[in-house]
Amino acid sequence: MREHGWGYYVHHIQDPGKQPLFLLLVGFIGSFLFIRFSVRMIRRGVRWWPGNVTPGGLHIHHVVFGVFFLLVAGFTVFATDGTHPWIDAAGLLFGIGCGLVLDEFALLLHLEDVYWSEQGRKSVDAVIVGILFAGLLLVGYLPLGVTPGTPIRWGAIGVISVNACFTVVALLKGKFWSGMLGIMVPGLSWIAAIRLARPRSPWARWRYTRRPRKFARARRRDARWHRRYDVARTWFFDLIAGKPTSPGQAPSRAHLFAERWAHRMAARLEHAAYTPLDQARVQKLAHLNRLAAKRGPKPSTGTAESARRRAAAKRRRAVAAGRSKGHL
């Protein structure tokens, strides 16, 4: 059985030159599963797990490490001209980087930390689409079944263009998976483009608002089929990625854990680092300055002007005393 499995790998993966793509897929899936396990352990506040990387109180997202792996893989391919075994190592590193980057796709899209919110589910969608594309390429599927070495004709270019149009229509109708998979598998996006759109899709807002009967049919079909699919999809995503935090729900242990460590690090660096003045401190200092300006500094008795005034007063008293003696 072991020899049969190795022979299958050699015949279908190694001999056709698909080993870098296979290692890319392994790194992709492995990094995604590892990082999801890591963040769920951090979210639960498990003590034996290392936790977030927060040097100096700054939380470093794992998308940073993913970009680093992608850069290393790209430099390796260009520096070694894609030769073995460097191309295999680059494929593995590139897959690891893809898993780490796409796991925080929602953060890059919204430019805020929505990892445990409902918007964060876009990251799981992006990861699954990437894994499906890599898997289809590995088993031999290319767009519209075109294989390397096949002469491209105008008919094939026309079919690819039509398929792209159907894919765009399917995506506008709210059928994400059918449209994306239709790029690789012919026919899926065509069927999705012909059928009714989902009621919350852009196509329904543009085309069904003046056609109430069609809009009602779309709502009934969505309630009958798509909601069941959404329930199964939500259950599957909760299983592999964790349940998102509701807007009115208390913060998770992961957020509390990260905030607690950030406050500790800030307290340690408070005396060494410069702390910007807050609004309350600024108002207090301004109030003290106004009081000092009202009271004003006491005049000094040792200045040159005061000495001249005292000398003048003394002369006037002496003159006044001499005149008084003369009258006597």
Side-chain angles (χ1 to χ4, degrees):
M1 182 66 182
R2 184 177 180 180
E3 294 180 357
H4 178 72
W6 176 252
Y8 180 86
Y9 176 82
V10 171
H11 180 70
H12 293 280
I13 302 297
Q14 195 172 17
D15 290 343
K18 296 181 179 180
Q19 183 166 300
L21 185 60
F22 174 77
L23 293 175
L24 186 151
L25 183 60
V26 170
F28 198 158
I29 298 175
S31 63
F32 172 69
L33 294 178
F34 170 78
I35 200 63
R36 279 290 167 174
F37 175 79
S38 176
V39 295
R40 294 181 74 172
M41 292 297 101
I42 297 173
R43 191 185 190 188
R44 293 181 181 180
V46 179
R47 295 183 178 180
W48 51 268
W49 193 252
N52 292 316
V53 180
T54 55
L58 175 65
H59 174 63
I60 299 180
H61 294 269
H62 49 267
V63 65
V64 178
F65 300 99
V67 173
F68 172 77
F69 281 113
L70 292 177
L71 292 175
V72 171
F75 290 149
T76 302
V77 171
F78 286 108
T80 60
D81 199 18
T83 57
H84 289 279
W86 301 107
I87 186 66
D88 300 330
L92 182 62
L93 293 176
F94 191 85
I96 294 173
C98 288
L100 296 177
V101 170
L102 291 183
D103 186 59
E104 290 197 321
F105 172 77
L107 183 146
L108 301 175
L109 182 64
H110 295 276
L111 293 180
E112 58 178 332
D113 193 359
V114 292
Y115 194 86
W116 291 116
S117 63
E118 193 64 31
Q119 293 84 355
R121 289 300 174 90
K122 297 183 180 68
S123 300
V124 185
D125 293 335
V127 169
I128 293 179
V129 169
I131 291 175
L132 289 176
F133 266 63
L136 290 173
L137 291 173
L138 185 63
V139 299
Y141 281 99
L142 291 177
L144 294 173
V146 178
T147 57
T150 304
I152 303 298
R153 300 179 180 180
W154 287 108
I157 296 176
V159 173
I160 292 175
S161 302
V162 172
N163 185 73
C165 295
F166 278 113
T167 300
V168 172
V169 173
L171 294 175
L172 291 176
K173 286 190 172 184
K175 302 177 180 181
F176 177 79
W177 293 105
S178 300
M180 297 303 294
L181 292 177
I183 300 175
M184 308 295 293
V185 182
L188 289 180
S189 59
W190 300 15
I191 298 173
I194 295 173
R195 293 173 64 85
L196 286 174
R198 303 194 66 175
R200 297 183 179 179
S201 62
W203 188 275
R205 293 195 300 268
W206 298 338
R207 304 296 300 273
Y208 295 169
T209 52
R210 298 182 180 179
R211 305 172 69 178
R213 293 184 178 180
K214 203 165 189 178
F215 199 25
R217 285 177 54 199
R219 288 198 300 266
R220 289 196 300 268
R221 180 172 293 180
D222 183 75
R224 185 186 308 171
W225 298 103
H226 293 292
R227 288 185 181 178
R228 297 177 182 176
Y229 161 75
D230 290 340
V231 171
R233 171 178 170 271
T234 302
W235 176 85
F236 177 70
F237 281 10
D238 290 344
L239 178 64
I240 64 175
K243 188 175 181 179
T245 303
S246 302
Q249 190 175 348
S252 62
R253 294 182 179 178
H255 294 157
L256 296 177
F257 179 79
E259 291 180 0
R260 186 164 60 250
W261 273 101
H263 286 304
R264 289 181 180 178
M265 296 301 299
R268 293 178 181 177
L269 299 175
E270 182 178 1
H271 299 287
Y274 169 74
T275 305
L277 295 177
D278 55 358
Q279 191 65 23
R281 293 180 62 188
V282 171
Q283 293 178 357
K284 186 176 180 180
L285 291 175
H287 179 67
L288 294 176
N289 290 333
R290 287 194 297 269
L291 291 178
K294 289 181 179 179
R295 294 177 180 178
K298 295 182 179 180
S300 177
T301 59
T303 60
E305 185 177 1
S306 299
R308 288 195 299 269
R309 289 179 180 178
R310 289 194 301 270
K314 186 177 181 180
R315 287 195 298 269
R316 285 194 298 270
R317 287 194 299 270
V319 171
R323 288 179 179 176
S324 60
K325 288 183 179 180
H327 288 292
L328 292 174

